[in-house]
C-alpha cells in the first residue's frame, strides 16, 4: 500500500499480471497446504 | 459394537462422519442425523447471492456418500437430547413423515451449526423482516432474486442504497458479509451500474478488517501490516463507504436503526440490505433421566454446548489465557457428548468487546469458520476412535493453535477476478507463545490481494466438494 488509504498503480498492476499471479498461485497453494496439513498431526 | 450418532451434516458433522466411517464404520454403528439430505458448500452461497453460481452447484446428496463410507443416514431434525448415563438417546422428527424417532448412542457429536436468530433484531431477515441473508441456501436464492430485481431498477436509471454487514451488535461471520459486499461491487461494475449504487459497510467490528478475530497482522519487509489498513484500501479503491463500531438494533422498511460506541442513535436508509443475524445454538431440549431440564449442564445461555474450555474469564484475562480455549470438545458433565463447529461454546470473544453508555454491548462473536469447524470435526472423530479402541483420547487442538486460511473472493471471473487471501496463525491470539502484541505468528500470517486468490477460491470449491464426497484421496486434503 502506498499509504494507509489506497493501493498504488504498481500494486494494482501486479494484482492482475497473469504470469506473476500464476507464481503467487503456486506459492500460496504450497504455503496454505503445508501449514494446514500440520493440523492433521495434532 | 459402539453406537455413534452425529447430529448435523455440515462442515463439522460431515467431516466427523467421514473420519468415523473410515475408521470405525465396518465394525461399529455410525449414524448421521440431519434435517437436510444434502451437504451444502456454504462459502459458495456468496456467489449464489449475486446470481453467479447455480444453487445446485453448491450441494450434493449425502446418502450415496454415506453408503460408501459405512455410515447410516437418518433424515430427521433432532429436538431432544437425553444425556444421562443409564439411558442415552436423541429424539427427532423425521422429515417428510413428521414421525418421532428415537436414536440411542454411546457417543454423541452435536454439530447442527447455528440457529439464525433473526428474532434478536426486530425487523431483520427475509422471513419476517426487511433485510436479506446468505446464511442458508433458500436465503441466498431469495437474496439473489431481490438483488437482480434491484439491478433491473438501476438499469432504468434509479439510484439505490445498498447496505451490507452485521444485523446485531453481537453478530459474527463478518468475512462472509465482506465477501458479499465486494462481489456486489464487482458485479455492478461489470453490469455498468456501479454509479447507480451507494454501497455502505455497516458492522459491529471495533475496526475495519477485524472480522471478529481482532484483525489480521502480518510482517512484510520488516513492517507490520494490519488488515484494518488493508481493508480500508480495498473499500477506498472500490468506493465503498464504511461505518464500524455500530450495533444494529431494529429494522423497518427501508430503515436500519443503530447505536454506535459513542451511544449515538441513528437511522440508515436502504433499498437493499444483506445483514448477518446473531447466531445462537440450536434450541434443543436437554432432559435428564427423571424428566428434569439439564440444560444448565449442557449449554450456555445462548444455547452453545459447554465443552472443556474455561468459561467466565473477563476479556482482559481471557485474552492472555490461551489454555482457556477448549482442546477436545467434550462436555465436562457428559464426557461422551462432543460438540463441533459453530455448536460448541467459545469461552468468550476474540475481538475486544465494548459497552456503550446506553449499556448496549457491541461485541463481534468469535467466528468458527469452515476450516475451524472441519478441524474440530476431525479432532472429535479421532478422539471417539481412540475411546472406542483404547479408552483414551490422544487428539487435541485449540483455536489458539489452529491456522485459518480464508479467501474472500471479489469477483469470480478467472480472467479479471480478484480475491483477498488471508492466512492467520493462530485464529485466537496466543500472547504466551508469540511475543508480540498481537499474539500471532507474523511470518506465517498472510494478507494478499490478486487474481491468484480468485483461482484459489474457484479451486477450493471443487477440491472441497471432492473431499466432502469422500472421493479418492479425500483424506489428503486438509480441512
Ligand atoms: C455465506 C457464507 C460464506 C462463508 N464463507 C466461508 C469461507 O469462505 N471460509 C470459511 O472457512 N468459512 C466460511 N463460512 C463459515 C462456514 O460456512 C461455517 O463456519 C461452517 O458452515 C460451520 O460449520 P458447522 O458444521 O458448524 O455448521 P453448518 O455448516 O451450518 O452445518 C450444520 C448442519 O446441521 C444441520 N442441522 C441443523 N439443525 C439440525 C437439527 N435440528 N437436526 C439435525 N440436523 C440439523 C444443518 O442442516 C446442517 O447440515 C461462511 C459462512 C457463510 C454463511
Amino acid at each position: 500500500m502506498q499509504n494507509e488509504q489506497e493501493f498504488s498503480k504498481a500494486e494494482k498492476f501486479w494484482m492482475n499480471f497473469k504470469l506473476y499471479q500464476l507464481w503467487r498461485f503456486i506459492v500460496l497453494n504450497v504455503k496454505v497446504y503445508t501449514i494446514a496439513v500440520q493440523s492433521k498431526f495434532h | 459394537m459402539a453406537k455413534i450418532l452425529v447430529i448435523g451434516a455440515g462442515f463439522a458433522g460431515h467431516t466427523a462422519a467421514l473420519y468415523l466411517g473410515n475408521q470405525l464404520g465396518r465394525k461399529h454403528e455410525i449414524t448421521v442425523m440431519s434435517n437436510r439430505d444434502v451437504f451444502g458448500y456454504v462459502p459458495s452461497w456468496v456467489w449464489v447471492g449475486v446470481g453467479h453460481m447455480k444453487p445446485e452447484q453448491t450441494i450434493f446428496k449425502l446418502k450415496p456418500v454415506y453408503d460408501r463410507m459405512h455410515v447410516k443416514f437418518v433424515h430427521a431434525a433432532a429436538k431432544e437430547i437425553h444425556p444421562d448415563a443409564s439411558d442415552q438417546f436423541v429424539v427427532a422428527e423425521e422429515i417428510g413423515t413428521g414421525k418421532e424417532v428415537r436414536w440411542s448412542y454411546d457417543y454423541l457429536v452435536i454439530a447442527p451449526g447455528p440457529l439464525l436468530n433473526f428474532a434478536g433484531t426486530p425487523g431483520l431477515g427475509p422471513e419476517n423482516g426487511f433485510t436479506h441473508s446468505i446464511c442458508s441456501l433458500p436465503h441466498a436464492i431469495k437474496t439473489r432474486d431481490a438483488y437482480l430485481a434491484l439491478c433491473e431498477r438501476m438499469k432504468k436509471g434509479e439510484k439505490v442504497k445498498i447496505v451490507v454487514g452485521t444485523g446485531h451488535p453481537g453478530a459474527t461471520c463478518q468475512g462472509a458479509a465482506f465477501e458479499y459486499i465486494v462481489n456486489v461491487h464487482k458485479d455492478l461494475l461489470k453490469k455498468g451500474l456501479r454509479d447507480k449504487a451507494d454501497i455502505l459497510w455497516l458492522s459491529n467490528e471495533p475496526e475495519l478488517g477485524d472480522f471478529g478475530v481482532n484483525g489480521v497482522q502480518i510482517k512484510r519487509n520488516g513492517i507490520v501490516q494490519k488488515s484494518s489498513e488493508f481493508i480500508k484500501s480495498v473499500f477506498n479503491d472500490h468506493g465503498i463507504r464504511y461505518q464500524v463500531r455500530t450495533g444494529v438494533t431494529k429494522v423497518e422498511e427501508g430503515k436500519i436503526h443503530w447505536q454506535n460506541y459513542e451511544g449515538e442513535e441513528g437511522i440508515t436508509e436502504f433499498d437493499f440490505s444483506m445483514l448477518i443475524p446473531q447466531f445462537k445454538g440450536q434450541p434443543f431440549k436437554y432432559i435428564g433421566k427423571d424428566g428434569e431440564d439439564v440444560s444448565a449442564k449442557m449449554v450456555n445461555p445462548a444455547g452453545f454446548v459447554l465443552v472443556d474450555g474455561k468459561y467466565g474469564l473477563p476479556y482482559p484475562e481471557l485474552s492472555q489465557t490461551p489454555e482457556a480455549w477448549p482442546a477436545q470438545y467434550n462436555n465436562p458433565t457428559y464426557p461422551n457428548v462432543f460438540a463441533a463447529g459453530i455448536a460448541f461454546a467459545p469461552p468468550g470473544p476474540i475481538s475486544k468487546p465494548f459497552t456503550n453508555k446506553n449499556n448496549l454491548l457491541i461485541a463481534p462473536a468469535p467466528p468458527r469458520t469452515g476450516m475451524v469447524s472441519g478441524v474440530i470435526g476431525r479432532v472429535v472423530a479421532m478422539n471417539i476412535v481412540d475411546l472406542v479402541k483404547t479408552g483414551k483420547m490422544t487428539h487435541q487442538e485449540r483455536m489458539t493453535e489452529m491456522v485459518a486460511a480464508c479467501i474472500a473472493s471479489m469477483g469470480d471471473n478467472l480472467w479479471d477476478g480478484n480475491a483477498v487471501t488471508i492466512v492467520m496463525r493462530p485464529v485466537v491470539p496466543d500472547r504466551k507463545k508469540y511475543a508480540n502484541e498481537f499474539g500471532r505468528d507474523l511470518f506465517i500470517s498472510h494478507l494478499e490481494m490478486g487474481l491468484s486468490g480468485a483461482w484459489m477460491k474457484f479451486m477450493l470449491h471443487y477440491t472441497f466438494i471432492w473431499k466432502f464426497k469422500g472421493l479418492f484421496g479425500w483424506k489428503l486434503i486438509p480441512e
Side-chain angles (χ1 to χ4, degrees):
Chain A
M1 285 167 279
Q2 63 182 11
N3 58 35
E4 289 190 1
Q5 302 296 313
E6 57 191 271
F7 294 108
S8 66
K9 271 197 177 146
E11 280 173 317
K12 284 192 186 172
F13 169 79
W14 289 111
M15 278 176 198
N16 200 37
F17 184 60
K18 308 287 182 290
L19 213 57
Y20 175 70
Q21 288 301 318
L22 181 62
W23 162 242
R24 296 310 301 161
F25 180 71
I26 296 164
V27 170
L28 284 172
N29 265 301
V30 171
K31 180 166 183 164
V32 171
Y33 187 82
T34 45
I35 54 169
V37 91
Q38 287 170 18
S39 159
K40 295 243 185 202
F41 306 109
H42 278 261
Chain B
M1 185 189 71
K3 287 182 91 177
I4 302 153
L5 176 63
V6 180
I7 302 175
F11 275 70
H14 185 63
T15 303
L18 291 182
Y19 281 97
L20 286 166
N22 180 260
Q23 301 275 326
L24 300 175
R26 287 171 204 271
K27 291 193 179 151
H28 301 272
E29 187 187 288
I30 322 288
T31 308
V32 171
M33 175 183 284
S34 177
N35 60 355
R36 301 195 67 218
D37 62 352
V38 291
F39 177 86
Y41 186 68
V42 184
S44 296
W45 294 347
V46 172
W47 291 336
V48 172
V50 281
H52 285 204
M53 186 170 264
K54 290 192 184 120
E56 52 277 17
Q57 282 175 276
T58 65
I59 52 173
F60 61 82
K61 286 265 181 202
L62 288 165
K63 177 105 181 24
V65 178
Y66 291 151
D67 286 346
R68 268 189 294 113
M69 302 298 290
H70 316 286
V71 172
K72 285 188 180 170
F73 179 65
V74 181
H75 191 194
K79 293 170 100 101
E80 288 173 14
I81 294 173
H82 296 249
D84 268 333
S86 49
D87 194 14
Q88 300 170 322
F89 61 95
V90 170
V91 177
E93 186 181 311
E94 200 174 62
I95 306 293
T97 64
K99 254 185 10 209
E100 187 178 286
V101 288
R102 263 171 185 245
W103 214 268
S104 59
Y105 65 82
D106 299 311
Y107 298 95
L108 176 66
V109 181
I110 304 178
L115 168 81
L116 305 174
N117 186 32
F118 292 108
T121 312
L124 190 79
E127 272 129 32
N128 300 309
F130 306 97
T131 60
H132 291 279
S133 147
I134 47 169
C135 296
S136 76
L137 189 54
H139 288 173
I141 294 169
K142 220 170 163 184
T143 302
R144 173 200 66 191
D145 295 345
Y147 169 72
L148 294 178
L150 185 83
C151 290
E152 289 308 312
R153 282 164 55 189
M154 293 160 81
K155 278 182 195 156
K156 290 182 186 138
E158 195 179 331
K159 292 216 168 186
V160 301
K161 294 191 173 103
I162 297 175
V163 182
V164 176
T166 51
H168 186 278
T172 179
C173 217
Q174 290 82 3
F178 170 75
E179 228 184 312
Y180 190 67
I181 201 170
V182 286
N183 269 276
V184 165
H185 157 83
K186 190 87 183 188
D187 183 63
L188 291 177
L189 211 58
K190 286 233 149 163
K191 290 185 162 113
L193 297 171
R194 184 61 185 88
D195 59 327
K196 299 278 185 300
D198 170 47
I199 308 184
L200 174 75
W201 173 253
L202 186 70
S203 113
N204 59 352
E205 297 157 290
E207 276 191 283
L208 265 190
D210 179 273
F211 296 129
V213 291
N214 221 13
V216 182
Q217 305 81 21
I218 63 163
K219 208 165 198 173
R220 194 177 281 164
N221 304 326
I223 300 167
V224 174
Q225 255 186 24
K226 296 180 187 168
S227 52
S228 52
E229 297 154 11
F230 194 86
I231 301 301
K232 203 178 280 177
S233 306
V234 172
F235 281 175
N236 285 348
D237 188 68
H238 291 13
I240 295 174
R241 295 190 303 116
Y242 46 86
Q243 177 179 336
V244 290
R245 302 181 166 205
T246 303
V248 170
T249 51
K250 190 171 92 171
V251 183
E252 291 174 322
E253 192 166 5
K255 284 183 186 158
I256 296 166
H257 294 251
W258 49 260
Q259 279 190 35
N260 61 14
Y261 271 22
E262 287 71 38
E264 293 161 348
E265 296 183 20
I267 293 177
T268 298
E269 296 191 346
F270 69 93
D271 295 286
F272 171 86
S273 178
M274 197 296 289
L275 298 177
I276 305 279
Q278 182 193 33
F279 287 179
K280 281 188 147 188
Q282 295 290 353
F284 297 145
K285 283 187 181 152
Y286 297 93
I287 300 171
K289 61 178 182 313
D290 300 320
E292 77 280 18
D293 180 5
V294 293
S295 303
K297 294 180 193 166
M298 281 293 302
V299 288
N300 69 9
F304 294 114
V305 181
L306 298 166
V307 289
D308 57 327
K310 215 179 199 176
Y311 295 99
L313 294 181
Y315 180 78
E317 202 181 332
L318 175 64
S319 63
Q320 303 297 331
T321 316
E323 61 280 8
W325 287 77
Q328 294 182 316
Y329 306 91
N330 60 339
N331 181 268
T333 316
Y334 305 104
N336 62 335
V337 177
F338 293 77
I342 292 176
F344 89 86
I350 307 172
S351 300
K352 201 169 173 200
F354 188 90
T355 306
N356 74 9
K357 65 180 186 200
N358 308 324
N359 229 5
L360 181 74
L361 176 67
I362 304 176
R368 278 82 90 201
T369 63
M371 193 165 176
V372 167
S373 301
V375 168
I376 299 174
R378 172 173 44 75
V379 167
V380 162
M382 297 315 288
N383 276 333
I384 294 175
V385 172
D386 281 346
L387 288 169
V388 170
K389 288 188 175 168
T390 67
K392 198 165 176 282
M393 297 194 277
T394 61
H395 296 268
Q396 62 168 56
E397 194 163 347
R398 300 179 199 276
M399 279 175 76
T400 47
E401 297 165 298
M402 279 180 211
V403 173
C406 291
I407 297 164
S409 88
M410 307 163 75
D412 52 350
N413 194 294
L414 294 182
W415 183 250
D416 65 354
N418 208 341
V420 178
T421 303
I422 302 171
V423 179
M424 65 187 127
R425 180 160 85 180
V427 177
V428 177
D430 179 344
R431 293 182 173 84
K432 288 186 178 162
K433 184 164 180 192
Y434 301 103
N436 59 62
E437 60 177 301
F438 312 109
R440 292 247 167 75
D441 180 337
L442 300 179
F443 177 70
I444 290 291
S445 298
H446 191 93
L447 262 177
E448 177 171 339
M449 183 161 133
L451 176 63
S452 56
W455 295 341
M456 277 185 75
K457 186 83 185 174
F458 192 75
M459 183 193 79
L460 286 185
H461 173 96
Y462 291 101
T463 311
F464 276 109
I465 286 184
W466 180 277
K467 176 190 170 84
F468 286 126
K469 283 185 175 171
L471 297 173
F472 178 72
W474 69 270
K475 273 207 280 181
L476 295 174
I477 301 168
E479 282 66 46

